[in-house]
Amino acid sequence: MTETVDALRARHLADLAAAATPEAVEAVRVEALGRAGTVTALLRSLGGLDAEERRRVAPRVQALREELAAAIEAKTSALAAAALAARLAAERVDMSLPVVPEPQGSIHPIARVMDELAEIFADLGFAVAEGPEIEDDWHNFTALNIPPEHPARAMHDTFYLEGEPSGRVLRTHTSPVQIRTMTGGRPPIRIIAPGRVYRSDSDATHTPMFHQVEGLVIDRDIHLGHLKWTLETFLKAFFGVQEVVLRLRPSFFPFTEPSVEVDVGCSWEGGRLGIGGSASWLEILGAGMVHPKVLANCGLDPAEWQGFAFGCGIDRLAMLKYGMTDLRAFFDADLRWLRHHGFRALDVPTLSGGMAP
Ligand code: PHE
């Protein structure tokens, strides 16, 4: 019996030492201390011994049972602690890291202003329209009432594409998008068309590529008052001011009649531009009522439909609003300039958030 106790002790403790999982530990427990376990059987067998023998052996069997129970419990908690430590190491998170990595790069001021334009005009019910930068002669000129040999063509410093018998050009303005919109759908129409345009011209205030935004409204009973209100509403939101004063000067574009040049009242106190008042004037865009011939060229009856259009330089708007002085810097791709004048990638302009600089 003594031998049995020592042998069981050695076997179960060795098995326990070798057990690497909670399941293996449980197997040792069942084998030794379970209802049909070896130690349980030994305890039961004590009843069959004579009194003398029982007094000698019983304490040793009891001690074995307690020793094994304690060793099993110790092993169980050791395994649980090791499992927890492994999980903590595997699922380690550095709580001091930023949630979102700092975005790289920034939004170019021109892209920013285009987003602002889309936001402001969307609120007035305008959709954003697009057209190709390589245009055909008809959309860029003829349909806009600038026939071949018309002197207005000379005003545009056009880039003509070589070897193009059909006369394709880099669009000289965004006005061909007017034509594409009117031939591609039915009124009522309310669109803006921001994008790149090209003219063979280069100095501090002119680059061969620059940006315009076209506006077009076609509906019944549209008049110059609608144009003026729309421009006032746009400029107030864009520059973040309560009031603006507009000056409409008579002008000429072949595709509008009447045509106007629009100035916005401003001041230059302390060398800083302030929009509002009428101390000084900034010329900001060309506009007018869509010429009846242009409507007819697009298959619209001028007796039924009228509209206004405007075309505005985006680069100049950005310079005025965000205080840059040299247009060429926009296109130099100088990282220091971009970091200074760029906008945070996740900072999207909204009317409710305000658009003032
Ligand atoms: N397309 C004209 C320009 O580039 C601007 C303009 C657009 C004028 C629409 C009137 C109406 O100068």
Side-chain angles (χ1 to χ4, degrees):
M1 186 64 94
T2 305
E3 236 148 28
T4 315
V5 170
D6 288 341
L8 282 180
R9 183 174 179 281
R11 173 151 76 87
H12 289 317
L13 286 180
D15 283 353
L16 197 59
T21 63
E23 292 73 34
V25 173
E26 175 64 6
V28 172
R29 191 195 63 78
V30 169
E31 203 197 333
L33 308 180
R35 259 192 297 149
T38 55
V39 179
T40 312
L42 210 54
L43 280 167
R44 264 194 215 115
S45 71
L46 292 177
L49 301 176
D50 59 53
E52 166 96 9
E53 179 80 349
R54 189 160 63 233
R55 223 173 291 122
R56 198 176 56 78
V57 177
R60 303 198 56 218
V61 181
Q62 286 291 2
L64 174 61
R65 195 183 67 91
E66 274 157 34
E67 184 186 356
L68 285 179
I72 286 167
E73 205 185 298
K75 181 77 187 204
T76 301
S77 34
L79 281 180
L84 181 63
R87 236 188 105 184
L88 284 176
E91 296 177 10
R92 190 190 180 106
V93 171
D94 184 348
M95 301 298 284
S96 70
L97 287 175
V99 180
V100 180
E102 199 48 38
Q104 296 290 306
S106 59
I107 302 293
H108 194 284
I110 292 172
R112 165 75 185 197
V113 168
M114 286 190 181
D115 288 346
E116 293 175 357
L117 292 168
E119 170 73 7
I120 293 170
F121 278 101
D123 196 53
L124 301 176
F126 286 65
V128 173
E130 285 183 324
E133 290 171 28
I134 295 177
E135 257 306 359
D136 55 62
D137 189 281
W138 189 76
H139 285 92
N140 197 79
F141 291 124
T142 308
L144 286 162
N145 197 30
I146 315 176
E149 319 308 333
H150 191 286
R153 289 199 178 203
M155 286 160 47
H156 280 233
D157 303 309
T158 310
F159 286 115
Y160 291 91
L161 270 72
E162 259 178 43
E164 287 278 340
S166 54
R168 291 210 295 175
V169 300
L170 292 180
R171 68 178 180 188
T172 56
H173 50 176
T174 42
S175 298
V177 185
Q178 286 187 37
I179 304 300
R180 293 188 175 274
T181 306
M182 284 188 276
T183 53
R186 297 289 301 166
I189 290 169
R190 260 179 290 182
I191 58 112
I192 59 164
R196 296 190 181 103
V197 300
Y198 302 83
R199 292 185 198 178
S200 178
D201 204 353
S202 185
D203 59 39
T205 53
H206 296 89
T207 48
M209 186 280 295
F210 58 106
H211 299 83
Q212 284 189 337
V213 59
E214 195 80 6
L216 177 69
V217 169
I218 303 288
D219 208 331
R220 295 188 167 90
D221 304 320
I222 297 292
H223 54 72
L224 217 51
H226 295 123
L227 167 67
K228 187 162 184 261
W229 179 88
T230 303
L231 293 177
E232 278 168 1
T233 306
F234 153 58
L235 291 166
K236 280 193 267 189
F238 182 75
F239 286 108
V241 293
Q242 296 294 318
E243 286 304 327
V244 289
V245 185
L246 290 190
R247 188 170 75 174
L248 273 56
R249 284 180 291 108
S251 183
F252 174 79
F253 301 102
F255 35 92
T256 47
E257 181 57 36
S259 300
V260 293
E261 208 97 49
V262 181
D263 301 339
V264 62
C266 68
S267 62
W268 286 102
E269 258 164 56
R272 253 186 80 85
L273 171 68
I275 299 291
S278 55
S280 202
W281 299 99
L282 276 176
E283 184 188 319
I284 49 161
L285 56 88
M289 300 304 295
V290 178
H291 198 293
K293 278 193 180 170
V294 174
L295 293 169
N297 287 342
C298 298
L300 297 176
D301 178 2
E304 187 180 2
W305 302 106
Q306 299 78 43
F308 64 76
F310 60 87
C312 179
I314 292 181
D315 315 82
R316 190 163 146 75
L317 280 184
M319 289 168 81
L320 290 172
K321 180 165 178 178
Y322 293 113
M324 301 96 166
T325 46
D326 191 336
L327 179 66
R328 289 169 295 195
F330 276 118
F331 312 117
D332 279 347
D334 179 338
L335 270 182
R336 289 163 308 170
W337 189 93
L338 290 168
R339 284 197 189 105
H340 181 75
H341 289 291
F343 291 82
R344 289 175 54 90
L346 301 176
D347 182 11
V348 179
T350 58
L351 279 176
S352 54
M355 303 234 175

